[in-house]
Amino acid sequence: MTAPPQGVQTEQLGFQAGTIRYHHAGTTGPAVVLLHGGGIDNALLSWRHAIAPLAVDHRVYLPDLPRHGGSRNWYGKVGQRTLEEVLRWLLDAWGVERAVLIGASVGGSAAIGFALRHPHRVRGLVLAGSEGLQHRVPGQLATYLKLRSRFFGTTAANVLGLHRGLSRRYLVDGVLNEPGEVIDHEQLVNEFHEELRGSASLFSDWYSEAVERRGMRVNHLPYLGSLRCPVMFVHGERDERVPLSTVNEAAAAVAGSTLRVLPGAGHWCHREKPNEFNATVREFVNGTL
């Protein structure tokens, strides 16, 4: 495991279905939970630069979601409902009654679903390049066929994991728009390659469950109007996985929500533009508590 930043503690919690590794920092203030994306991702890979700014005056928790990072020992499929349940178990184990949830990509979908089912436990939502907001994803049929292949996800992970340069190329083509502007690009490539080499597939169970031939099975868009907590969308201007038009529609569906677009950023706007992202999130979080 790549070493966590100074002041960050790492622990584990055991559940019936497996073990969750999580990191935490900060000893006072309201709780903030950071949820990373699906596929090739983990807590530190997504949120390394967000921990210190938030931990100044908040208790910050960031779990490796099941089948990612240090939480690979997990039995059963990990779809949308499982992610929501895992979050509930974690909050209970941490003694956290209410929290601000900050979710990236699939982590955003998990946060939205949890807020809809357990509104009394969510103080606010920050959604960065969130999945679960689209009727159809770009390349819907091709994505569906790849996910239904028995070997594509596994073979792709094995091939990409053979060489660090292939991991770099995947990052450039997949989630970053201006990799040369990333302040710690080489460290990011190393962390991504390490996670990739430990992954059984390029895809998480969430995608296999959510993507159908003609549309998305997991789509929170029709229900966003039911959210009662403050909501902020933070989105990369050049996000090709979740187009800007999608988040514009989502933000319009949530009364009083805020949308912040980070110029030049791709799908991983929180890692590509960490200073801008963290400043925006701190302003929102401090204003909702």
Side-chain angles (χ1 to χ4, degrees):
M1 178 188 78
T2 305
Q6 186 175 3
V8 176
Q9 304 297 315
T10 301
E11 299 186 47
Q12 291 187 335
L13 283 168
F15 300 101
Q16 185 173 358
T19 302
I20 295 292
R21 182 179 72 186
Y22 70 96
H23 313 279
H24 62 97
T27 57
T28 61
V32 176
V33 179
L34 301 164
L35 302 171
H36 64 77
I40 311 304
D41 204 355
N42 63 47
L44 291 180
L45 185 54
S46 263
W47 304 118
R48 173 174 295 279
H49 299 302
I51 303 170
L54 289 170
V56 171
D57 41 19
H58 300 91
R59 291 171 292 137
V60 180
Y61 300 88
L62 49 158
D64 285 339
L65 297 175
R67 304 271 177 76
H68 298 78
S71 303
R72 298 196 186 278
N73 175 29
W74 196 266
Y75 175 79
K77 296 292 185 180
V78 187
Q80 175 69 30
R81 286 296 297 275
T82 298
L83 290 173
E84 294 171 18
E85 284 299 285
V86 168
L87 178 54
R88 182 173 65 85
W89 298 340
L90 288 170
L91 291 176
D92 290 345
W94 294 331
V96 172
E97 183 58 34
R98 298 181 71 209
V100 172
L101 305 181
I102 302 176
S105 194
V106 170
S109 180
I112 296 169
F114 184 86
L116 290 169
R117 292 184 183 279
H118 308 282
H120 61 290
R121 304 202 67 173
V122 181
R123 291 179 180 270
L125 285 175
V126 178
L127 304 170
S130 179
E131 297 281 11
L133 298 175
Q134 303 182 80
H135 301 297
R136 292 173 57 85
V137 297
Q140 181 80 37
L141 180 58
T143 302
Y144 170 83
L145 293 175
K146 289 177 182 177
L147 289 166
R148 294 305 178 274
S149 167
R150 288 185 58 191
F151 305 108
F152 183 88
T154 300
T155 302
N158 289 337
V159 170
L160 290 172
L162 289 175
H163 196 277
R164 184 175 176 277
L166 296 176
S167 294
R168 183 195 301 275
R169 174 51 54 188
Y170 181 85
L171 278 170
V172 172
D173 292 342
V175 295
L176 302 177
N177 181 58
E178 298 178 342
E181 299 297 316
V182 177
I183 57 175
D184 60 342
H185 182 247
E186 292 308 309
Q187 179 177 349
L188 175 59
V189 173
N190 289 338
E191 292 180 20
F192 181 85
H193 187 63
E194 180 182 344
E195 177 68 17
L196 178 61
R197 294 190 66 177
S199 299
S201 175
L202 202 60
F203 307 116
S204 69
D205 291 342
W206 186 91
Y207 291 104
S208 298
E209 172 192 86
V211 180
E212 296 188 319
R213 181 181 293 272
R214 293 180 176 152
M216 296 296 290
R217 177 180 296 172
V218 179
N219 179 13
H220 305 296
L221 191 58
Y223 313 105
L224 293 182
S226 300
L227 292 171
R228 292 295 175 260
C229 62
V231 179
M232 181 171 71
F233 298 87
V234 186
H235 213 76
E237 178 189 26
R238 302 293 184 180
D239 189 335
E240 295 184 357
R241 294 200 177 186
V242 183
L244 188 55
S245 58
T246 293
V247 77
N248 282 326
E249 183 179 4
V254 183
S257 68
T258 304
L259 171 60
R260 296 284 186 267
V261 178
L262 300 187
H267 187 57
W268 276 11
C269 62
H270 51 295
R271 197 62 204 258
E272 194 166 5
K273 303 283 185 178
N275 293 335
E276 296 92 329
F277 179 85
N278 294 337
T280 298
V281 169
R282 269 191 57 83
E283 179 183 0
F284 173 81
V285 171
N286 290 337
T288 62
L289 299 177

